[in-house]
Amino acid sequence: MLNCIRRRTEEALHSKKMSKTSEQVHKEFEKGLKVLLLGTGESGKTTILKQMKILHQEQAFTDEERMKKVAEIRYNLHESIYELVRNVTILGLNFDSAEHRIKADYILGIGKYPPHVFDDVYCNCVQDLWINDSAVRMAYNNSNEFQLIDNAKYFLDNIETITRADYVPTNEDILKSRKITNGIKEVTFKIKFQKGLNCGLQTVKMFDVGGQRNNRNKWLQVFEGIDAVLFVISCGDWDQNLREDPTQNRLKESLELFERVWNNRFLLQAGIICFLNKQDVLMRKIAEGKHINQYFPDYDKFHMSPNEGNIFDEAMRTRCFIRKMLIDIAKEPPKRLSQLAGGRCKERQAYFHYTIATDTENVKKVLNDCHDMIMTRNLFDLGLL
């Protein structure tokens, strides 16, 4: 009789505990997630934000939004040919002919900002210089020595489409467009939790803050209540310098910034997920015969584990080397963390993913994994795991 009563009591307590757990899980879902996108300028943060609209909003871009992007994309097109032509002389190169020199002067005469009308004269000049002039192509191959947007080739290859009077940007065009982020941008969307807790869709608010140095003082405005930081680092930037500081290597700046974010006292309880982005740029540079050891001599001493992939694959070895530099920064968790967690604390760690921000399927898979990680971490902090 006593055993029966004891069993029923235990069952009742267990049922009550499960009910409370379920309430807490649903409360956690209803609260939603607040995710912060951080990284240096031109790392790909804004592209990730655009992907969120494509993946999780019924209409990613309205007709009005697409038409507003036309000017931005055409600016990218003109900026690309203008910088290439301008730097031909700076790099000590010579145009292939007097005719090409005249066409180059025409482009330079327009100035930094695009013409009001993209007529046949302009388009013919751009196409001829881009396709047929070896000096312009040589400047492109050495574009790490000056400031050129990553997707210059994409826009120049598509000049006929972009300059049409009836041009409407595609999702790919918008993903590849580039505009410096000033201030704070926010995208709200819903995402399904993948772990099978039967909680449906969860609201996620993602914030993108400008990555240039003069914008970083605004970051503190959105640090409160952050569940996770997506830190985006461009793996193709090892041979380039910052726009705002031509003396500072972009990848070194990213590593220093990651260390500051990792140790920031306002973000000690936020999950840190690092996107090693622009893998396509990294692979292109390796294929062109460029190597990271000229800028990071420690690369020559780096030993890649066979478990990480083919040790003779230079692109694979380069990305693993960059990942190792980030892991070294995140080895020692800040001492404040255990104090803030009241003694109950998972060992803090950063999570790393290789990404190509302009590849929608790649970003979709990575972000689903990240969402699961964030929720699992939050449930642990509640004592539910």
Side-chain angles (χ1 to χ4, degrees):
M1 183 68 177
L2 288 174
N3 287 337
C4 184
I5 293 172
R6 186 182 297 113
R7 186 166 61 252
R8 287 178 181 174
T9 301
E10 289 173 352
E11 288 174 355
L13 288 171
H14 179 70
S15 177
K16 185 177 180 180
K17 182 179 179 181
M18 290 302 294
S19 177
K20 184 178 180 182
T21 298
S22 179
E23 287 177 12
Q24 287 179 289
V25 170
H26 280 84
K27 189 180 291 184
E28 184 70 11
F29 263 76
E30 289 171 6
K31 185 184 74 174
L33 294 177
K34 189 175 177 182
V35 179
L36 186 59
L37 273 168
L38 296 181
T40 59
E42 301 182 67
S43 59
K45 302 190 314 313
T46 303
T47 307
I48 296 290
L49 204 68
K50 293 175 188 175
Q51 289 283 23
M52 296 304 96
K53 291 169 70 71
I54 292 170
L55 288 167
H56 300 295
Q57 292 185 355
E58 188 173 340
Q59 186 178 22
F61 305 103
T62 65
D63 292 341
E64 183 181 356
E65 286 175 321
R66 289 184 189 278
M67 295 317 296
K68 284 182 179 178
K69 287 291 181 182
V70 171
E72 180 180 309
I73 289 167
R74 287 176 174 168
Y75 179 87
N76 289 163
L77 167 67
H78 179 71
E79 176 191 14
S80 298
I81 193 63
Y82 177 82
E83 288 300 331
L84 286 169
V85 168
R86 190 173 74 88
N87 279 279
V88 164
T89 303
I90 294 173
L91 293 172
L93 304 171
N94 295 306
F95 292 99
D96 288 346
S97 66
E99 181 186 357
H100 283 181
R101 175 73 260 182
I102 292 170
K103 289 182 176 181
D105 287 340
Y106 169 74
I107 296 295
L108 293 173
I110 293 172
K112 181 179 178 180
Y113 298 97
H116 294 295
V117 179
F118 287 78
D119 56 20
D120 289 343
V121 174
Y122 176 85
C123 294
N124 289 336
C125 283
V126 173
Q127 283 184 308
D128 193 16
L129 290 169
W130 171 242
I131 296 171
N132 299 317
D133 195 274
S134 62
V136 172
R137 284 291 179 161
M138 184 67 72
Y140 176 75
N141 291 336
N142 290 279
S143 59
N144 62 296
E145 297 183 29
F146 57 96
Q147 301 298 333
L148 184 70
I149 59 172
D150 288 331
N151 295 311
K153 183 179 186 301
Y154 176 85
F155 293 119
L156 290 168
D157 285 346
N158 289 282
I159 183 174
E160 289 185 6
T161 301
I162 292 170
T163 56
R164 281 201 324 247
D166 61 349
Y167 170 61
V168 178
T170 64
N171 284 354
E172 185 176 10
D173 295 342
I174 293 172
L175 284 172
K176 290 182 182 295
S177 66
R178 166 82 180 113
K179 184 179 181 181
I180 293 175
T181 300
N182 289 307
I184 302 168
K185 292 184 178 179
E186 176 186 343
V187 168
T188 299
F189 55 93
K190 293 184 181 293
I191 188 169
K192 186 176 182 181
F193 189 44
Q194 305 292 312
K195 292 290 188 184
L197 289 179
N198 195 29
C199 293
L201 298 173
Q202 185 178 38
T203 299
V204 178
K205 289 187 177 182
M206 186 172 284
F207 299 86
D208 174 23
V209 190
Q212 272 77 19
R213 287 177 175 176
N214 63 334
N215 274 299
R216 293 177 198 168
N217 60 345
K218 301 171 186 174
W219 289 10
L220 284 173
Q221 297 174 33
V222 285
F223 276 8
E224 185 179 356
I226 290 294
D227 292 289
V229 173
L230 296 188
F231 189 91
V232 186
I233 181 169
S234 173
C235 286
D237 281 359
W238 75 73
D239 60 350
Q240 294 174 260
N241 292 333
L242 297 177
R243 281 184 187 269
E244 61 268 41
D245 180 2
T247 66
Q248 172 68 327
N249 179 278
R250 286 192 187 184
L251 183 53
K252 288 180 181 177
E253 177 86 354
S254 291
L255 293 168
E256 291 171 9
L257 186 58
F258 178 75
E259 184 171 13
R260 292 201 293 273
V261 169
W262 178 254
N263 290 292
N264 189 289
R265 63 191 181 92
F266 296 107
L267 298 172
L268 290 178
Q269 292 183 297
I272 305 288
I273 304 161
C274 189
F275 283 9
L276 284 84
N277 195 34
K278 299 193 181 181
Q279 292 297 313
D280 52 338
V281 176
L282 181 149
M283 289 185 282
R284 172 176 61 80
K285 288 188 175 182
I286 296 296
E288 292 170 351
K290 298 175 181 178
H291 301 284
I292 196 171
N293 59 352
Q294 181 180 345
Y295 306 88
F296 292 82
D298 286 347
Y299 177 73
D300 290 332
K301 305 172 191 174
F302 172 65
H303 296 289
M304 174 181 156
S305 167
N307 296 330
E308 296 177 295
N310 182 358
I311 60 174
F312 300 106
D313 183 331
E314 188 72 9
M316 181 76 71
R317 187 164 178 253
T318 300
R319 77 181 195 178
C320 286
F321 171 69
I322 296 171
R323 181 175 179 268
K324 176 65 165 54
M325 289 193 289
L326 291 162
I327 289 173
D328 287 344
I329 291 170
K331 267 183 179 177
E332 296 296 329
K335 293 180 180 179
R336 279 176 169 265
L337 186 61
S338 59
Q339 297 169 359
L340 289 173
R344 186 184 187 279
C345 165
K346 259 188 178 179
E347 182 181 348
R348 195 183 190 212
Q349 58 182 309
Y351 300 83
F352 300 93
H353 295 272
Y354 299 116
T355 59
I356 300 173
T358 53
D359 183 333
T360 301
E361 284 304 310
N362 170 256
V363 172
K364 180 181 179 181
K365 181 183 182 304
V366 168
L367 283 162
N368 281 339
D369 291 345
C370 291
H371 181 249
D372 288 354
M373 184 281 295
I374 295 167
M375 278 308 303
T376 300
R377 192 177 189 279
N378 287 354
L379 293 174
F380 175 88
D381 291 340
L382 286 172
L384 302 179
L385 289 178

